[in-house]
Amino acid sequence: MIKRADEFMVKEIMKMEYYQDNNRRMAEYRIEHSRRVANIAKNIASSEGFDEDYAYIGGLLHDIGYAIDYKTKEEYCNHGRYGAKIARPFLLELGINEDIVNEICYGIAIHVDDEADFNGERTALALCIGDADNIDRFDAFRLYESVLDANYRELPLNEQYEFCTKRIERLKLLADFPMSSKTARDLWQEKIRYQISFIERLKKQVDNSYLQID
């Protein structure tokens, strides 16, 4: 089932015209991100005592709503709900129990903005999909991306200092972001601590870059 789910995920993500026409590496990143989310969801399921394979499949499929192009932020927020519609018939074809399919699809639907367009329950399986997505979005690669996107290396010292200060403030606010399980919360806070530690080191280097005269 997992192999088929991975193949289905890759096929759906590669349908997006933007990925085909502009940047194949972005498509590869989305595929890699989906697999990382799947592994995180599996780890949460293992620690919390619910089905690891279903959690893994939910993680693999959580972003298949990217199969279409979104023009606005509002449309982008629908990619979870659209993904659930794509995932449902495929999951039923795999022979997964309809109740489990609904859990997985509900988790996919709500992972962007906590809203679905069908009735579902906020089960451990459903909620771990969004938790795993958030945890991966604050791991090492996204930290690298945030520094790269800010063009940090080219910023003057005062702007580097400002970037670090604002980033640390935001990360501290995010430390208590709600997660659905102890395992997810521990993983989340570990990622936040890691990012804060790294940015604090950057900020310290900025401080040490000024001439100090007593």
Side-chain angles (χ1 to χ4, degrees):
M1 285 195 304
I2 288 173
K3 186 174 186 297
R4 287 179 63 187
D6 184 76
E7 291 170 349
F8 181 75
M9 176 269 291
V10 171
K11 182 187 72 173
E12 291 301 316
I13 287 178
M14 291 305 300
K15 286 180 180 178
M16 189 171 181
E17 291 179 7
Y18 179 80
Y19 288 156
Q20 294 173 358
D21 298 338
N22 293 280
N23 194 338
R24 184 178 177 87
R25 182 66 191 109
M26 287 186 66
E28 292 170 348
Y29 168 79
R30 185 61 50 190
I31 291 165
E32 293 157 7
H33 164 68
S34 297
R35 289 170 178 161
R36 290 196 301 269
V37 170
N39 280 304
I40 295 168
K42 180 179 180 180
N43 289 340
I44 294 171
S46 177
S47 295
E48 296 294 327
F50 55 93
D51 193 279
E52 297 176 28
D53 287 346
Y54 293 145
Y56 196 95
I57 290 170
L60 281 176
L61 302 184
H62 83 283
D63 267 352
I64 58 173
Y66 278 100
I68 63 172
D69 291 299
Y70 299 98
K71 307 302 182 186
T72 67
K73 184 177 180 180
E74 289 74 20
E75 290 178 355
Y76 165 83
C77 286
N78 285 321
H79 82 262
R81 289 176 283 278
Y82 185 69
K85 289 181 174 65
I86 299 172
R88 187 179 296 276
F90 169 75
L91 294 170
L92 290 172
E93 282 181 16
L94 288 181
I96 298 175
N97 176 277
E98 189 170 354
D99 289 339
I100 299 297
V101 169
N102 209 55
E103 284 188 69
I104 295 172
C105 288
Y106 193 71
I108 293 171
I110 67 174
H111 89 271
V112 180
D113 56 7
D114 207 32
E115 293 185 11
D117 52 2
F118 61 93
N119 293 328
E121 295 185 26
R122 299 173 65 82
T123 64
L125 171 57
L127 293 174
C128 85
I129 295 170
D131 286 347
D133 180 46
N134 284 323
I135 289 165
D136 185 64
R137 290 194 303 112
F138 278 80
D139 209 335
F141 188 81
R142 291 295 183 93
L143 172 58
Y144 160 76
E145 273 194 327
S146 70
V147 176
L148 188 66
D149 289 346
N151 201 23
Y152 182 86
R153 184 175 181 178
E154 306 304 322
L155 295 175
L157 279 179
N158 65 311
E159 292 183 25
Q160 288 184 350
Y161 188 90
E162 183 180 4
F163 168 84
C164 292
T165 299
K166 289 182 177 179
R167 184 73 181 179
I168 291 168
E169 289 173 354
R170 179 169 180 259
L171 288 166
K172 287 181 177 178
L173 290 174
L174 287 170
D176 293 324
F177 187 80
M179 292 281 153
S180 66
S181 66
K182 181 182 183 304
T183 302
R185 183 169 61 254
D186 289 346
L187 288 170
W188 170 258
Q189 291 180 344
E190 186 267 328
K191 306 305 180 190
I192 296 296
R193 286 194 299 269
Y194 171 78
Q195 290 213 10
I196 289 174
S197 175
F198 180 83
I199 300 297
E200 283 179 340
R201 287 173 179 268
L202 275 181
K203 189 176 179 181
K204 181 65 174 176
Q205 280 198 316
V206 174
D207 284 334
N208 287 338
S209 298
Y210 288 103
L211 179 66
Q212 303 292 329
I213 301 176
D214 294 331

